[in-house]
Amino acid sequence: MIEVRNLVKKYGEVTAVRGISFDAKPGQVTGFLGPNGAGKTTTMRMLTGFMPPTSGKATVAGYDVFEQSMEVRKRVGYLPESVPLYRDMTARNYLMYMGEIRGLKNVRAKADDVLERVGLTRRAQSRIRTLSKGMRQRVGLAQALLHDPQVLILDEPTIGLDPIQVLEIRDVVRQLGRDHTLLFSTHILSEAEQVCDNLVIINQGQIVAEGSPAQLRAELERGGRVLVRAEGPVEQMIAAVSAIPTVAHAEAAVEGVVVTPRDANVDPRPEIAQVVVQNGWRLVELRPLAVNLEEIFLELTRQVAPAAEEASERADADGGEGGDEAGEGAREDGAREDGAREDGAREDGAREDGAREREDEEAKS
Amino acid sequence: MILRQIWAVYKRELGLYFRSPIAYAVAFALLLLFGLIFSSNVSQLNNRAPADNLNFIPSLLTFLMFLVGPLMTMRLLAEENREGTIELLMTLPMSETAFIVGKFFAVWTYYSVVLGLTLVYYLVLTTIGVPDHGRALGVYLGAWLYGGTVLAVTMIWSAITEDQIVAAFLGAATVLVLYLADLAAQFVNNLSFTENPEFITGLANGIRELGLTAHYNSTMFVGVIRAEDIAYFIFMIIAALFITTRIVETRRWRA
Ligand SMILES: Nc1ncnc2c1ncn2[C@@H]1O[C@H](COP(=O)(O)OP(=O)(O)OP(=O)(O)O)[C@@H](O)[C@H]1O
Ligand SMILES: [Mg+2]
């Protein structure tokens, strides 16, 4: 169990972590997701007792990270971001050394045991210097598992690995998550989505979203757009759908027509179905357009502009929406809560011409 | 628990010295130098007392410690700082003190081995004549404590920087200052023409007492073993280790 409350860390002038609060529960993998410099490593260093918080409180396995640091350290396995190892030791000797410092008994047996768990038994006698990056990562992981800790804190365990090893490590993380409290950081959203039961998204030292991947998606999907695929003339279809009172906007996209409702809580799908059928077009598909978590992530973690600037940017973005030009700049400027939606719409818009041609062909045939 | 940790750190660190080519090179160079001096002295034995020859070697070693000491300690913490291994160590349930003490005893052991090897010359001397055993005890005990003090002091710099060369330079400079404190004291003493002679002599004595040579060259080196000299060395070692511990701690807090 990890409980973080209003944790703050300042490095001199720089505030790396600005009062974050979250929980990581036992038997779950909690993903700590954020771009470079978000404050992930800083937070983890405070949780492992490497450095004290400037203010705020955190408990790990029931002990305060500052007041009862030694108790915390006994119960935490930590894999630092840089995976610092003694390169002139063999993997086994290194693990035995760490075990001795931790005051474990039977260090030899424990070292061999964790080496087996990370699949390095054959390289037990190799000097760490001669191991590949992925193998070193695993030695670091083995070190974190050595004392069978309740809590595991892994700082970007998959960085710099080849795709196969990434999958392997993710698998290991998922398994470990079943019987540990596991906090792991990454800046890869898809990884977090695959591995984590719970996601904490952090940007510039602040938490911007929290919840299970499904929850996050559901929350951000609400009031989302609807995709209509029907066999019929696109122009007319857009006109007909736009005329529905609950619809704010409709436009062509690759897959079909994307409809934005006027009110997020009023589902326009029944009316759309009716209109399509009334016009004699054959309805192929009518579904809510999944919000890409990637888009949400990009939106949430984009540079937070000062309030005044943000307002004017929002106005700009709104103005740009009518004309179909989707420049990179406009995309960046999307206001936060409806930005994801707009992004999608603009991307779709960019492909509009191609889509129209294809659909025209389809209509002719 | 803490003893086990000190022992674990000590064992690893000592192992490194005995596997490191540089450690062998330093020991070899020193012993070669001493051997040359020794043989040239022995060849002139007919008109010199054996005891004088013997004492030349530990005294040269203590002098050279301003160079050799930093070379022995520069790696100890600077490397851990640079490699980041300290981050992991400082998240283990181990106090900084255990870590520093373990490292210090390892390097002091290495030094003791080098010092012990110079006893070979002493043994050779006993076959030629009868050296003054009492004086030799003082000389060697002093050289041992003197070395420990130099190592503890130079280790401070290794904790401060990640750069071994910088650590070695600053360490050498610090030891030279401690070595030359005697000269500084004399210089201060010569200022006693000013209006406050007591203060000046007091200051000069203070500076002298802080220095290394006052507690070795004029006491243990001539076979006078005084408790206050032993206390000085032990105090210096403890103080230096304490400072090193604090530095490791604050470095981590700033990290
Ligand atoms: N030792 C330090 N001294 C001063 N500032 C630091 C220090 N370490 C980190 N910072 C600053 O704190 C902020 C957060 O850094 P942190 O390393 O926690 O980010 P991160 O989320 O781990 O990023 P990454 O994904 O790149 O690892 C950054 O602005 C960084 O410049
Ligand atoms: Mg980081």
Side-chain angles (χ1 to χ4, degrees), chain A residues 25-299:
Chain A
K25 298 194 179 60
Q28 282 196 351
V29 178
T30 301
F32 209 33
L33 183 63
N36 289 128
K40 303 181 293 294
T41 301
T42 304
T43 305
M44 289 181 155
R45 284 177 160 178
M46 289 189 281
L47 293 179
T48 52
F50 180 67
M51 51 164 101
T54 307
S55 72
K57 190 174 152 67
T59 61
V60 172
Y63 295 94
D64 187 279
V65 292
F66 183 60
E67 308 283 339
Q68 296 156 304
S69 182
M70 285 298 159
E71 296 304 317
V72 170
R73 295 173 188 204
K74 282 180 200 161
R75 292 164 178 80
V76 172
Y78 177 38
L79 175 64
E81 187 169 24
S82 55
V83 197
L85 303 167
Y86 293 108
R87 285 185 284 172
D88 42 15
M89 292 178 106
T90 66
R92 179 190 282 141
N93 283 344
Y94 169 70
L95 292 171
M96 285 170 64
Y97 175 56
M98 295 310 257
E100 279 167 18
I101 289 181
R102 283 195 175 274
L104 303 179
K105 303 213 164 56
N106 303 324
V107 280
R108 171 74 191 255
K110 288 208 167 84
D112 284 342
D113 181 49
V114 286
L115 279 172
E116 198 183 318
R117 284 174 74 181
V118 298
L120 274 182
T121 304
R122 285 195 315 130
R123 303 304 299 267
Q125 306 273 36
S126 307
R127 282 188 196 283
I128 291 174
R129 170 174 351 107
T130 67
L131 298 179
S132 77
K133 171 104 171 82
M135 291 174 186
R136 271 184 248 161
Q137 203 92 14
R138 287 195 239 178
V139 175
L141 192 61
Q143 168 278 130
L145 296 174
L146 196 61
H147 51 301
D148 196 19
Q150 294 171 31
V151 177
L152 280 169
I153 296 182
L154 312 177
D155 200 351
E156 298 187 21
T158 59
I159 202 158
L161 302 186
D162 72 49
I164 295 168
Q165 295 201 331
V166 166
L167 291 181
E168 278 179 27
I169 295 278
R170 281 181 196 165
D171 240 25
V172 172
V173 168
R174 222 175 290 136
Q175 273 170 28
L176 288 170
R178 289 194 201 123
D179 43 12
H180 293 84
T181 302
L182 200 155
L183 179 66
F184 104 112
S185 72
T186 174
H187 17 68
I188 307 165
L189 176 97
S190 61
E191 171 169 290
E193 220 182 330
Q194 281 171 36
V195 176
C196 301
D197 304 297
N198 195 27
L199 272 177
V200 176
I201 303 182
I202 178 172
N203 186 38
Q204 301 201 338
Q206 281 171 320
I207 291 180
V208 289
E210 194 184 350
S212 70
Q215 260 173 0
L216 283 180
R217 189 178 273 130
E219 245 169 58
L220 290 143
E221 230 170 50
R222 242 185 294 133
R225 298 158 299 163
V226 170
L227 178 81
V228 187
R229 267 178 68 197
E231 291 172 2
V234 179
E235 298 292 339
Q236 285 175 37
M237 209 184 294
I238 289 173
V241 172
S242 303
I244 299 169
T246 52
V247 170
H249 181 71
E251 61 184 351
V254 183
E255 290 178 283
V257 176
V258 173
V259 180
T260 311
R262 207 170 281 285
D263 179 347
N265 296 318
V266 180
D267 190 346
R269 279 180 294 175
E271 279 84 9
I272 294 171
Q274 213 176 5
V275 165
V276 170
V277 173
Q278 272 169 7
N279 281 287
W281 302 316
R282 288 170 62 196
L283 187 62
V284 179
E285 193 180 10
L286 183 58
R287 62 170 161 92
L289 207 59
V291 185
N292 187 344
L293 265 189
E294 198 79 45
E295 286 174 7
I296 297 171
F297 176 57
L298 287 174
E299 267 314 310

